[in-house]
Amino acid sequence: MPAPPPGMAATVDVRVGADCRAHVSAVRLVPLATVPDVRGTTRSQPISASAPATAAAVSAIQRGVYQRVWDCCGILMNEFDTIAYWQYNGSSVTYWSLHNAVAYHRETFGGGWSLQYQNAWRQGSSSSQVNLAGDAGFSYQGIFDPTGTLFYNSYVNTIQVRGNGSWSCQWSYAWRNSVPGWHTQNWCG
């Protein structure tokens, strides 16, 4: 997805309908300030590296990819966010860092969603572009599935940051199963 203008986020909503099909909204631009804060956040260990720099950084930017999934009752089941920060000098990325944030719903008597893994890494880079990514997986065992075999959600977020200050992002997700009313919201901003 192309980067939204400064101060804005691009968002897409997907809802599982009564027909068990995904109904995808058009991309919308909304104020970045409307991206809700993460509740129950735990953060991975940030990873970072300084790229070789030939000139001082002239600017710095922080942007992220956010994926949130609710059930039919409006309970946030999983959230996976990948946030990148980078400095640039007009032609090169002079510094970057990356971290993930996750949230997941636990049920009263110990069941619910559980984080199985999360990773953040650099996919590859040159002096003018750094490709960053994160992934996470959540399993469910609880009142709706005592066996723990029906539901498993996995997510991948990628962010490309560039030495001219531009950026872009992608996301993907896979659900082992879903039910009508599940609703996901995906943000880049």
Side-chain angles (χ1 to χ4, degrees):
M1 169 176 283
M8 301 296 283
T11 182
V12 172
D13 297 329
V14 180
R15 183 171 301 277
V16 178
D19 59 359
C20 293
R21 293 187 151 176
H23 300 272
V24 182
S25 75
V27 175
R28 294 179 301 127
L29 290 176
V30 298
L32 189 56
T34 64
V35 176
D37 288 336
V38 180
R39 292 176 289 151
T41 298
T42 58
R43 295 196 184 276
S44 68
Q45 184 69 16
I47 65 165
S48 62
S50 292
T54 57
V58 295
S59 199
I61 297 177
Q62 178 175 300
R63 296 290 184 259
V65 183
Y66 310 87
Q67 296 194 64
R68 296 173 179 147
V69 180
W70 293 270
D71 68 9
C72 58
C73 299
I75 296 171
L76 179 67
M77 297 185 296
N78 316 139
E79 176 169 353
F80 178 58
D81 306 336
T82 302
I83 294 89
Y85 169 86
W86 74 102
Q87 296 174 351
Y88 63 94
N89 64 12
S91 61
S92 297
V93 175
T94 58
Y95 174 84
W96 62 268
S97 67
L98 178 71
H99 73 270
N100 293 328
V102 300
Y104 47 92
H105 180 73
R106 297 294 297 162
E107 294 168 351
T108 305
F109 299 104
W113 290 94
S114 297
L115 177 67
Q116 296 302 305
Y117 67 88
Q118 68 166 321
N119 301 291
W121 70 92
R122 181 185 66 163
Q123 289 184 309
S125 64
S126 65
S127 64
S128 63
Q129 178 172 304
V130 179
N131 303 311
L132 305 169
D135 65 356
F138 301 87
S139 62
Y140 176 84
Q141 184 173 10
I143 194 161
F144 298 106
D145 176 20
T147 68
T149 60
L150 290 178
F151 302 109
Y152 190 93
N153 297 346
S154 58
Y155 304 89
V156 176
N157 294 334
T158 59
I159 304 173
Q160 297 76 37
V161 301
R162 297 179 191 90
N164 63 4
S166 67
W167 66 287
S168 59
C169 72
Q170 295 86 35
W171 62 79
S172 64
Y173 56 89
W175 300 337
R176 183 178 294 157
N177 291 294
S178 66
V179 296
W182 278 25
H183 171 80
T184 181
Q185 199 170 57
N186 306 292
W187 299 75
C188 278

